[in-house]
Amino acid sequence: MDVWWILLILIVRTVAEQSESKFMNNGTGLEVMTCVWPFAKTPSENCVNILIDRNNCGKISHKCNATYKSCSGGVCSVAPAIQLIEPKIIYQGALNGSKYYGEFDVNLPLNITLYDIKTNYVIVTPSGALCLGKCSYKYSESILPNMKGFSGVTAFPFVDDLIIRNGTSQGIYYKVSGKTPNRTLAFEYYATLVLSKHQICHFQVLFFENRPNIVQFIYLNVPDIGSYPAVGVQNLITGLFMQYSFREPHAIMSNMSITFDTKNNNYTAVLLCGSKTCTMNEACVQNMCIQRGRLSFTAHWPQRKGRGYIIVRTPLNHTIYFGSSRNKSSIDQGQHEQVGNGNQVDNIYWPLNRMPPKGSYKICFSTGSLLNGTDKSPVTVTIEIRRFRQRMETMSRTFNRSTTKLNACLDTSDTFIRSYSSEEKEQNCHFQILLFESNPGLIQFIYLNVPDTDDSDEIGVQNLESDITDLKYSSSQPFFMLRNMSIIFDTNQNIYTTAIICGSAACLIGEACVQNMCIQQGELSFTARWSQRKGQGYIIVRTPLNNTIYFGNSRNKSSVDQGQHEQVGDGNQVDNIYWPSNRMLPKRFFKICFSTGSLLNGTDKSPITVTIEIRRVRRLMETMTRTFNRSTTNVTECLETSDTFIGSYSSVICEWPYAVAPTATCVNILIDRNNCGKVGRKCNNTYNSCSGGVCGMARAIQLTEPKTLIQGAINGTVDSKTVFVSLPFNITLYNDTGDTVYLDLYGVSLWP
């Protein structure tokens, strides 16, 4: 009998240790519940997971306020929460750690059917696949049908390079709801892209007991960078498959739903928009469907009495608004769409089967009757700009009083918000290769367009059958390739020459082409350009060392601040200030100004728009603009209060997750308590640290300004990595002495 009691106790103990909570005898005969980490006991005697519970985040009774959407890793977070209520956990970062690849077997309480295959056993993977047959446990994105480790029937809701991160509520969940025979099975995936912890992929996969052969994908959140997942379903037994997308940017969007009918081999895709659904040719704005077409400009503002109106002036100088809702031009077929009763949203769009004209659009907004009622408080209007297969852009303006120009849209209109260029923004690679009959041994590469990114491929020529193996220009170095660049390789002399094609001239590689003129770009340059007209204008730059450079003071005498002015042509289109390539830049902020000089003193007194181009070596060019309506008075100074002022620029460059603070230093906004999530946002005394850009209750690093070896905010999730460290002094253990150690997550060792 004693043996049976021992066996029974062992069984009970084993079950209890594997559960979320366990009961213990307190000596009074009463059972007391305890909870196993990360579960903690609430006053109502429930066990809650304090790593993910919004009402008990990090500790019991610490409730996340409405600012936050979830509790992740014990910290209130702006990341979305799991939508399923009390789901079954298949895998979770807060409980099980990080997961990049693998597969999880799931036995279901009901059968699901896809392609007439019925089963209650499925396999799911962190990379976004759900299999009714064999599943690839590694990331295996491919055009469908995908045979890389898959067999039988597979659903691909979002196959991409995904990871479930440690200490978060990211994971894979499922739940069965409803009653037989109308039950619904929902899987929920919550992960991020491997390359960025901020790019959240959050979606559900639904099966229906009373609708066999149907599967629905619902996308709660997808990255806004134009992710390229494989999406579809397949049956390798019969060879049938349906592919919705593969490496198509912005084909999958947040709040999108795709329903696949594997019986009839078709699918439907819609956008979920409040209580209604929009077609894929539409967009959801303020819970209303609007036409997005090939290009759309949508104005929205907080609901109030009255109506407002968006106004767009096209590159062909047609003005579209509620009173002129459609152009008669066959080559400029933008049109106005009234959305609802017009008190929240107004829209102008070009249909999908029409090409918007290329060039600059002017966007304006008439406050109409919005500020004429009893509510005369300022109204902020946001413009959403959508392009087919491109990321949405926005611009906004706050109106403090009613506008007077209701049907015009010019730079000088009181309705004016901003201009928008419809020129192609896709990252196209466009180049030519030239060979010459009269010049044997020469080959020329001309780069008509290269992407505005820091990526660069290897460029050169080679001959594997000779002693001269190659002639290399670049080896994956950033910004080595520029638009309008030419490289001529002479394989006879084994040399090459480079130039920038600039109209009828050719610039050196250390120069840039602006308005068909070569300008010095050096280590840093500020170049002002404007439309040609009589007179001259002048750029003015005040350096971090408070030296002012302009045409009348063209060079500093300071040995540590050697910026200089360069007159370009006759000065009626371009003006330039630069620091030579062999000079160090002063740190902190530069102020950039522009004197209109004599540009507005002649017969042409129309406004003039000045663009400042800022170039740094191996960096993407930045720009800033300002339109001047009248002549400036301060022609030799540059302060924020000057009528010449355009903007400031920091010579300190910070790579993510660092950002430039007002002190011109780099701060890690993922962990800095005084700059948490963004510069200037300080965590109050309620919080102990900044973690992942969110003020958190977790304790902060105790060392003051330590050297960072590995950090999750910088290096991402790390489960196996060795770091070698050279110390400034020797340490001794077991009579072994050295100044080099190697560390991993398991400990520290002296390097022999």
Side-chain angles (χ1 to χ4, degrees):
M1 181 64 70
D2 291 340
V3 174
W4 287 109
W5 274 112
I6 292 171
L7 287 174
L8 180 60
I9 291 170
L10 288 174
I11 292 171
V12 171
R13 181 180 177 184
T14 302
V15 172
E17 288 178 345
Q18 292 176 347
S19 67
E20 298 173 359
S21 63
K22 55 186 177 182
F23 293 86
M24 297 182 65
N25 194 306
N26 64 359
T28 64
L30 298 175
E31 291 181 324
V32 179
M33 183 183 69
T34 62
C35 305
V36 179
W37 170 262
F39 293 88
K41 186 170 63 174
T42 66
S44 58
E45 298 290 322
N46 292 320
C47 286
V48 295
N49 185 337
I50 61 174
L51 292 181
I52 63 171
D53 192 303
R54 289 189 79 255
N55 297 315
N56 302 276
C57 189
K59 62 181 180 180
I60 296 298
S61 299
H62 175 238
K63 187 174 183 178
C64 297
N65 62 37
T67 306
Y68 302 103
K69 296 180 180 179
S70 67
C71 172
S72 184
V75 178
C76 295
S77 173
V78 294
I82 298 300
Q83 300 299 297
L84 296 177
I85 299 174
E86 297 182 355
K88 301 278 188 184
I89 299 173
I90 299 173
Y91 193 95
Q92 184 188 84
L95 291 174
N96 310 111
S98 297
K99 199 68 174 177
Y100 175 44
Y101 60 83
E103 57 182 34
F104 311 111
D105 301 339
V106 185
N107 290 300
L108 303 169
L110 76 165
N111 286 320
I112 60 173
T113 305
L114 215 56
Y115 284 110
D116 287 329
I117 301 297
K118 180 183 290 188
T119 183
N120 68 342
Y121 168 78
V122 297
I123 301 172
V124 295
T125 74
S127 58
L130 188 151
C131 308
L132 278 63
K134 181 183 177 184
C135 235
S136 172
Y137 69 92
K138 292 186 178 180
Y139 167 61
S140 54
E141 181 189 16
S142 169
I143 193 169
L144 299 189
N146 186 343
M147 293 177 281
K148 297 179 179 179
F150 297 96
S151 67
V153 174
T154 308
F156 300 102
F158 198 100
V159 177
D160 209 332
D161 207 359
L162 304 180
I163 186 172
I164 297 169
R165 298 187 186 271
N166 182 36
T168 69
S169 54
Q170 295 172 27
I172 306 175
Y173 305 79
Y174 82 91
K175 182 178 181 179
V176 178
S177 58
K179 296 181 179 180
T180 306
N182 299 309
R183 289 175 291 179
T184 298
L185 169 67
F187 291 90
E188 187 163 339
Y189 292 72
Y190 180 17
T192 54
L193 296 179
V194 168
L195 297 179
S196 174
K197 67 193 303 182
H198 305 283
Q199 300 299 337
I200 296 170
C201 303
H202 192 183
F203 52 92
Q204 293 180 340
V205 181
L206 278 63
F207 295 90
F208 309 93
E209 187 176 24
N210 61 354
R211 298 173 64 198
N213 291 306
I214 300 291
V215 62
Q216 182 181 13
F217 303 159
I218 298 177
Y219 299 93
L220 305 172
N221 191 86
V222 296
D224 60 357
I225 58 174
S227 52
Y228 299 78
V231 176
V233 292
Q234 71 179 27
N235 183 359
L236 293 182
I237 300 172
T238 62
L240 293 174
F241 68 92
M242 286 181 281
Q243 178 176 287
Y244 179 80
S245 71
F246 177 70
R247 294 183 178 174
E248 297 176 54
H250 299 285
I252 303 298
M253 295 179 284
S254 297
N255 299 315
M256 178 177 171
S257 167
I258 311 175
T259 302
F260 291 91
D261 182 345
T262 61
K263 186 70 173 180
N264 297 301
N265 207 43
N266 59 40
Y267 64 80
T268 56
V270 297
L271 285 177
L272 306 176
C273 186
S275 60
K276 61 184 72 173
T277 59
C278 307
T279 69
M280 294 311 298
N281 291 334
E282 298 175 321
C284 178
V285 180
Q286 306 281 64
N287 286 337
M288 291 180 281
C289 298
I290 60 105
Q291 294 291 329
R292 61 187 175 100
R294 191 165 291 275
L295 169 65
S296 67
F297 300 96
T298 310
H300 68 82
W301 58 94
Q303 186 174 15
R304 62 202 296 173
K305 289 184 178 179
R307 289 184 59 178
Y309 310 98
I310 188 172
I311 311 167
V312 173
R313 189 175 183 88
T314 77
L316 300 180
N317 289 325
H318 296 125
T319 302
I320 309 173
Y321 64 106
F322 77 103
S324 179
S325 61
R326 189 188 297 262
N327 283 325
K328 296 179 181 179
S329 169
S330 61
I331 56 174
D332 188 0
Q333 297 196 356
Q335 55 194 73
H336 174 267
E337 174 193 25
Q338 180 172 323
V339 184
N341 58 10
N343 67 351
Q344 287 181 274
V345 180
D346 203 29
N347 187 46
I348 290 172
Y349 73 101
W350 278 254
L352 271 177
N353 59 350
R354 297 291 185 267
M355 289 299 294
K358 291 187 176 180
S360 179
Y361 292 74
K362 291 182 174 61
I363 299 105
C364 298
F365 183 80
S366 165
T367 58
S369 55
L370 292 176
L371 295 173
N372 295 343
T374 55
D375 185 357
K376 291 183 170 58
S377 61
V379 61
T380 298
V381 177
T382 298
I383 306 295
E384 296 182 350
I385 305 170
R386 293 176 174 86
R387 293 283 300 273
F388 185 71
R389 289 284 190 264
Q390 292 189 25
R391 184 177 182 177
M392 184 182 74
E393 300 179 45
T394 62
M395 55 180 71
S396 64
R397 179 183 165 186
T398 298
F399 293 88
N400 297 300
R401 57 180 180 271
S402 293
T403 54
T404 57
K405 297 182 178 179
L406 305 180
N407 56 11
C409 187
L410 302 171
D411 290 349
T412 54
S413 303
D414 58 358
T415 57
F416 184 69
I417 295 181
R418 201 184 300 174
S419 295
Y420 170 80
S421 174
S422 67
E423 295 298 326
E424 188 61 61
K425 295 181 180 178
E426 292 182 357
Q427 301 299 327
N428 296 320
C429 300
H430 190 186
F431 54 91
Q432 296 177 337
I433 301 173
L434 281 65
L435 298 164
F436 310 93
E437 184 178 20
S438 60
N439 289 292
L442 296 188
I443 184 170
Q444 183 179 13
F445 303 160
I446 298 177
Y447 298 92
L448 305 172
N449 191 78
V450 294
D452 283 331
T453 67
D454 59 2
D455 294 329
S456 181
D457 292 324
E458 189 167 310
I459 309 297
V461 294
Q462 69 177 16
N463 182 0
L464 296 179
E465 297 181 357
S466 71
D467 293 335
I468 303 174
T469 57
D470 63 16
L471 189 58
K472 184 183 298 184
Y473 171 71
S474 74
S475 179
S476 300
Q477 301 180 59
F479 297 106
F480 249 56
M481 309 313 302
L482 304 171
R483 287 184 182 88
N484 299 315
M485 181 175 172
S486 166
I487 311 175
I488 299 177
F489 293 91
D490 184 344
T491 61
N492 301 314
Q493 305 296 323
N494 203 39
I495 59 174
Y496 64 80
T497 56
T498 58
I500 302 293
I501 300 171
C502 186
S504 59
C507 306
L508 301 176
I509 293 300
E511 298 175 323
C513 178
V514 180
Q515 309 279 66
N516 286 337
M517 291 179 281
C518 299
I519 61 107
Q520 295 290 331
Q521 61 176 9
E523 190 70 27
L524 169 66
S525 66
F526 300 98
T527 310
R529 61 173 172 83
W530 58 95
S531 300
Q532 186 175 14
R533 63 202 296 174
K534 288 184 179 181
Q536 287 190 328
Y538 310 99
I539 189 172
I540 310 167
V541 174
R542 188 176 185 88
T543 78
L545 300 180
N546 289 325
N547 295 311
T548 303
I549 309 172
Y550 62 105
F551 76 102
N553 185 28
S554 61
R555 190 188 295 261
N556 283 326
K557 297 179 181 179
S558 169
S559 61
V560 294
D561 190 359
Q562 297 194 359
Q564 54 194 73
H565 174 267
E566 174 193 25
Q567 180 170 328
V568 183
D570 56 8
N572 67 353
Q573 293 183 78
V574 180
D575 202 29
N576 187 46
I577 291 172
Y578 73 100
W579 276 254
S581 296
N582 58 350
R583 297 292 185 268
M584 292 294 293
L585 300 176
K587 298 289 181 69
R588 295 179 71 88
F589 291 93
F590 293 76
K591 292 181 174 63
I592 301 106
C593 297
F594 184 80
S595 166
T596 58
S598 55
L599 292 175
L600 294 174
N601 296 341
T603 55
D604 186 358
K605 291 183 170 58
S606 62
I608 186 165
T609 299
V610 178
T611 299
I612 306 295
E613 297 182 348
I614 306 170
R615 293 177 174 85
R616 292 284 295 271
V617 174
R618 301 283 181 268
R619 292 279 173 180
L620 186 65
M621 183 182 74
E622 300 178 46
T623 62
M624 53 181 70
T625 61
R626 180 182 166 188
T627 298
F628 293 88
N629 297 301
R630 57 180 180 270
S631 294
T632 54
T633 56
N634 296 319
V635 295
T636 60
E637 70 174 22
C638 186
L639 302 171
E640 291 181 349
T641 54
S642 303
D643 58 358
T644 57
F645 184 71
I646 295 181
S648 296
Y649 173 80
S650 171
S651 61
V652 176
I653 297 175
C654 306
E655 301 290 349
W656 174 262
Y658 292 88
V660 182
T663 56
T665 58
C666 292
V667 294
N668 187 335
I669 61 174
L670 293 182
I671 63 172
D672 192 305
R673 291 190 77 254
N674 296 316
N675 302 277
C676 190
K678 63 180 181 179
V679 171
R681 181 175 184 265
K682 187 173 182 178
C683 296
N684 61 38
N685 293 332
T686 306
Y687 300 101
N688 295 318
S689 66
C690 172
S691 179
V694 178
C695 296
M697 302 300 297
R699 298 189 66 180
I701 298 299
Q702 299 300 295
L703 296 176
T704 304
E705 296 183 355
K707 294 186 180 298
T708 303
L709 301 179
I710 302 176
Q711 184 185 86
I714 299 175
N715 307 108
T717 301
V718 176
D719 55 8
S720 61
K721 184 178 179 67
T722 300
V723 178
F724 291 85
V725 185
S726 295
L727 303 173
F729 57 90
N730 286 327
I731 61 173
T732 302
L733 284 175
Y734 288 109
N735 294 322
D736 284 337
T737 301
D739 63 355
T740 301
V741 297
Y742 65 94
L743 303 92
D744 55 24
L745 299 182
Y746 304 104
V748 55
S749 305
L750 277 173
W751 182 248

Short mmCIF file of all heavy atoms in Angstrom, two decimals, residues 81 109 135 145 271 284 306 335 373 452 456 527 560:
data_model
loop_
_atom_site.label_atom_id
_atom_site.label_comp_id
_atom_site.label_asym_id
_atom_site.label_seq_id
_atom_site.Cartn_x
_atom_site.Cartn_y
_atom_site.Cartn_z
N ALA A 81 -1.27 43.52 -29.02
CA ALA A 81 -1.44 42.37 -28.15
C ALA A 81 -2.02 41.20 -28.94
O ALA A 81 -2.54 41.36 -30.04
CB ALA A 81 -2.37 42.73 -26.99
N PRO A 109 -8.69 19.47 -31.37
CA PRO A 109 -9.91 18.82 -30.87
C PRO A 109 -10.99 18.69 -31.94
O PRO A 109 -12.11 18.28 -31.65
CB PRO A 109 -10.36 19.77 -29.76
CG PRO A 109 -9.86 21.11 -30.18
CD PRO A 109 -8.56 20.86 -30.89
N CYS A 135 6.35 19.36 -43.13
CA CYS A 135 6.67 20.78 -43.11
C CYS A 135 8.18 20.97 -43.11
O CYS A 135 8.91 20.19 -42.47
CB CYS A 135 6.08 21.43 -41.86
SG CYS A 135 5.01 22.84 -42.16
N PRO A 145 4.40 26.11 -56.81
CA PRO A 145 4.43 25.21 -55.65
C PRO A 145 5.82 25.12 -55.03
O PRO A 145 6.82 25.03 -55.75
CB PRO A 145 4.00 23.86 -56.24
CG PRO A 145 4.42 23.93 -57.67
CD PRO A 145 4.25 25.37 -58.09
N LEU A 271 -10.19 44.35 -47.75
CA LEU A 271 -9.65 45.09 -46.61
C LEU A 271 -10.74 45.22 -45.56
O LEU A 271 -11.87 45.63 -45.87
CB LEU A 271 -9.17 46.47 -47.03
CG LEU A 271 -7.86 46.55 -47.81
CD1 LEU A 271 -7.59 48.00 -48.20
CD2 LEU A 271 -6.70 46.00 -47.01
N CYS A 284 -8.92 52.04 -46.49
CA CYS A 284 -9.81 52.33 -45.35
C CYS A 284 -9.29 53.56 -44.62
O CYS A 284 -8.16 53.57 -44.12
CB CYS A 284 -9.85 51.12 -44.41
SG CYS A 284 -10.87 51.37 -42.94
N GLY A 306 -19.67 70.86 -40.28
CA GLY A 306 -19.13 71.54 -41.44
C GLY A 306 -18.35 70.60 -42.33
O GLY A 306 -18.16 69.41 -42.03
N GLN A 335 -9.73 62.61 -60.41
CA GLN A 335 -11.11 62.97 -60.12
C GLN A 335 -11.37 63.03 -58.62
O GLN A 335 -10.70 62.37 -57.83
CB GLN A 335 -12.07 62.00 -60.79
CG GLN A 335 -11.86 60.53 -60.49
CD GLN A 335 -12.61 59.62 -61.44
OE1 GLN A 335 -12.25 59.48 -62.61
NE2 GLN A 335 -13.67 59.00 -60.95
N GLY A 373 -18.43 77.46 -37.54
CA GLY A 373 -19.46 77.19 -36.55
C GLY A 373 -19.07 77.67 -35.17
O GLY A 373 -18.21 78.55 -35.00
N ASP A 452 18.71 54.65 -54.22
CA ASP A 452 19.10 55.59 -53.16
C ASP A 452 19.28 54.84 -51.85
O ASP A 452 18.64 55.13 -50.85
CB ASP A 452 18.04 56.66 -52.99
CG ASP A 452 18.11 57.71 -54.09
OD1 ASP A 452 19.21 57.93 -54.60
OD2 ASP A 452 17.07 58.28 -54.43
N SER A 456 25.79 48.36 -52.50
CA SER A 456 26.57 48.44 -53.72
C SER A 456 27.16 47.08 -54.02
O SER A 456 27.65 46.40 -53.13
CB SER A 456 27.70 49.47 -53.57
OG SER A 456 28.43 49.56 -54.78
N THR A 527 24.64 72.91 -50.81
CA THR A 527 24.47 73.51 -52.13
C THR A 527 23.06 74.04 -52.27
O THR A 527 22.08 73.30 -52.11
CB THR A 527 24.73 72.47 -53.24
OG1 THR A 527 25.97 71.82 -53.00
CG2 THR A 527 24.75 73.14 -54.60
N VAL A 560 40.74 74.73 -37.61
CA VAL A 560 39.88 73.59 -37.26
C VAL A 560 38.49 73.73 -37.86
O VAL A 560 37.59 72.96 -37.53
CB VAL A 560 39.77 73.44 -35.72
CG1 VAL A 560 41.12 73.06 -35.13
CG2 VAL A 560 39.23 74.71 -35.08
#
